[in-house]
Amino acid sequence: MPSQVSDMMEPLRGVRDGYLISLNLGTPPQVIQVYMDTGSDLTWVPCGNLSFVCMDCDDYRNNRLMPTFSPSASSSSLRDLCGSSFCLDIHSSENSIDPCTIAGCSLTTLLKATCPRPCPSFAYTYGGGGVVTGTLSRDTLRVHGISSTPDNVVTREIPKFCFGCIGSTYREPIGIAGFGRGSLSLPSQLGFLQKGFSHCFLPFKYANNPNISSPLVVGDVAISSKENLPFTPMLKSTMYPNNYYIGLEAITIGNASAITQMPLSLREFDAQGNGGMLIDSGTTYTHLPEPLYSNLLSLLHSVISYPRAKEMETKTSFDLCYVVPYTINTLTKPDDLFPSITFHFLKNVSLVLPQGNHFYAMGAPANSTVVKCLLFQAMDDEDYGPAGVFGSFQQQNVEVVYDLEKERIGFQPMDCASASASQGLHKK
């Protein structure tokens, strides 16, 4: 059964391609930093100091940022059993005795559901092509609960929290805390699926700054007093029922009229459950389907007069880069150089992307100019899965509220660094 925790607040720290939450696991506690991912359910940590292997992770080879979890060093560590509901879930089995059969249990123990064998090893795949393999573990998780006043933070222990103890991965160098709606997810195991959570992602300029973090709030406090926010309904995909989807109706550039030729697939599903716009903190950049993506580029190019930086486009694989003036002493804010981009979601919810969430500097200024690129990308040309993805880069400086009880998501532009300072999350 889910453990009931009051409310919790954990600091999120920005890195170059996502946001990290610290998991406090085991006895004595081991602290492992993992990505906060609304696009998956499983929470996993790299296991085994020397034995953890990440294939095709060259970017991280020299970045010994992440410690690994050692189950043998924790007195409260247990292997999950083959008959548990989590084991059934991770093996995606319809038949409740499948995992124990794979584990080699006798027919007698299968029929009596008394087999004491551990859950067999599993492989878990991600939409971007990543794969992790390992075993299901249970151990004590400690979270920061909030009592009646925000300053009164208490540590709460969740015994037998279920997570993946991962020995090898493909393109997944860092662990993940799954915040989806499946039974394995962190909010689900903590009993928050009927409540909700909210986050305010720090701007990219604070990436890798250990002194500044922003709040991830889980529980009633995340959604209470948020009634004034504009909320758009969550859409339900039959193919991926544990993911969060919203409907995108239109996009506006500056003060111009909206792009009206929006594919219906961005706000509804086909019979198989394909379509919708996935909101995913585990995907860095927003992805749009063709021909919408190319239309957006054409529209932007028609209203931007700066010279194109074609070399940077080739080098970075971003499709729209410009050489723009850069001066420190100027009345013009550097962000006013580009037209605003507004997303219009279902139920008349409009979100003007905060400046810095669309065009971003690709390096240091030189000769009073800097190259900025549009950090959107085209969806892979596949007909299955989501039609688009609303990524974490475009959610910077926006309070995003997941109201799971009422199945809706709220957006409110906000200075996340200031908000987190008011909640005491900056280190002095």
Side-chain angles (χ1 to χ4, degrees):
M1 289 295 293
S3 310
Q4 288 299 324
V5 175
S6 59
D7 295 305
M8 68 179 247
M9 183 170 79
E10 298 291 336
L12 283 176
R13 199 164 65 77
V15 287
R16 61 181 184 175
D17 49 5
Y19 293 85
L20 298 179
I21 176 175
S22 291
L23 294 182
N24 189 314
L25 279 171
T27 311
Q30 300 175 46
V31 178
I32 312 290
Q33 292 191 316
V34 298
Y35 286 122
M36 181 253 175
D37 182 19
T38 57
S40 64
D41 292 327
L42 176 69
T43 294
W44 66 267
V45 293
C47 273
N49 236 356
L50 299 170
S51 54
F52 177 72
V53 176
C54 182
M55 295 165 57
D56 208 358
C57 294
D58 292 346
D59 285 1
Y60 286 84
R61 189 145 292 164
N62 303 320
N63 185 356
R64 300 189 68 87
L65 162 78
M66 301 297 159
T68 57
F69 180 73
S70 175
S72 59
S74 171
S75 61
S76 48
S77 176
L78 300 165
R79 280 282 299 274
D80 195 31
L81 295 180
C82 64
S84 86
S85 61
F86 293 134
C87 185
L88 201 62
D89 192 341
I90 200 76
H91 284 282
S92 311
S93 181
E94 300 286 315
N95 184 338
S96 63
I97 62 173
D98 272 354
C100 283
T101 306
I102 298 165
C105 302
S106 70
L107 184 58
T108 312
T109 58
L110 286 176
L111 295 173
K112 290 181 180 173
T114 56
C115 184
R117 297 199 175 195
C119 181
S121 299
F122 64 86
Y124 190 89
T125 58
Y126 291 93
V131 183
V132 302
T133 63
T135 57
L136 273 190
S137 280
R138 288 182 180 248
D139 211 330
T140 302
L141 173 71
R142 289 164 195 81
V143 298
H144 295 103
I146 308 171
S147 3
S148 49
T149 58
D151 297 335
N152 194 355
V153 175
V154 288
T155 301
R156 299 195 184 277
E157 290 194 352
I158 293 90
K160 297 185 179 176
F161 176 77
C162 189
F163 60 96
C165 189
I166 299 301
S168 54
T169 76
Y170 173 65
R171 291 188 175 173
E172 295 293 343
I174 295 170
I176 287 173
F179 268 73
R181 287 197 276 195
S183 64
L184 273 165
S185 81
L186 194 143
S188 179
Q189 289 193 56
L190 270 56
F192 289 129
L193 270 199
Q194 295 310 310
K195 298 179 181 179
F197 59 92
S198 68
H199 58 68
C200 194
F201 288 153
L202 288 167
F204 199 62
K205 66 183 178 186
Y206 294 115
N208 300 318
N209 183 334
N211 299 319
I212 299 184
S213 57
S214 64
L216 167 67
V217 184
V218 188
D220 287 331
V221 73
I223 46 179
S224 59
S225 77
K226 303 292 183 189
E227 284 300 321
N228 58 335
L229 258 69
F231 280 94
T232 189
M234 283 182 196
L235 307 181
K236 268 222 169 117
S237 162
T238 52
M239 182 183 281
Y240 301 111
N242 298 341
N243 287 349
Y244 304 106
Y245 285 90
I246 48 181
L248 183 64
E249 286 194 298
I251 298 174
T252 309
I253 305 298
N255 300 321
S257 58
I259 298 178
T260 48
Q261 293 171 315
M262 298 286 289
L264 276 173
S265 61
L266 276 170
R267 56 184 186 274
E268 57 187 49
F269 302 105
D270 66 15
Q272 287 74 45
N274 301 297
M277 189 167 208
L278 180 69
I279 176 166
D280 183 12
S281 66
T283 298
T284 311
Y285 307 115
T286 291
H287 287 63
L288 296 172
E290 290 290 11
L292 171 65
Y293 176 71
S294 293
N295 292 345
L296 176 69
L297 297 190
S298 301
L299 213 83
L300 281 166
H301 190 53
S302 69
V303 294
I304 296 170
S305 54
Y306 300 112
R308 285 279 283 272
K310 295 276 192 185
E311 278 182 28
M312 188 63 79
E313 292 174 4
T314 308
K315 190 170 141 189
T316 60
S317 78
F318 291 117
D319 296 309
L320 204 59
C321 300
Y322 292 97
V323 181
V324 298
Y326 179 87
T327 49
I328 297 168
N329 302 316
T330 175
L331 295 172
T332 312
K333 288 189 201 155
D335 297 327
D336 293 341
L337 299 167
F338 293 102
S340 62
I341 298 178
T342 306
F343 280 9
H344 303 276
F345 299 111
L346 290 172
K347 285 272 170 83
N348 295 320
V349 172
S350 294
L351 175 65
V352 181
L353 295 184
Q355 292 287 3
N357 285 19
H358 35 63
F359 284 92
Y360 196 79
M362 290 290 108
N367 304 325
S368 301
T369 64
V370 68
V371 174
K372 292 194 172 189
C373 295
L374 177 71
L375 299 196
F376 282 46
Q377 291 181 323
M379 283 295 285
D380 289 338
D381 200 16
E382 294 168 348
D383 291 332
Y384 65 89
V389 183
F390 189 36
S392 64
F393 196 88
Q394 279 66 44
Q395 296 174 48
Q396 300 170 100
N397 275 339
V398 178
E399 183 180 32
V400 183
V401 179
Y402 290 75
D403 184 343
L404 302 183
E405 186 184 9
K406 294 182 178 170
E407 302 203 313
R408 57 188 191 159
I409 296 180
F411 298 103
Q412 174 171 269
M414 181 180 281
D415 182 336
C416 296
S418 299
S420 62
S422 71
Q423 287 171 306
L425 286 176
H426 292 196
K427 290 183 182 169
K428 301 289 187 283

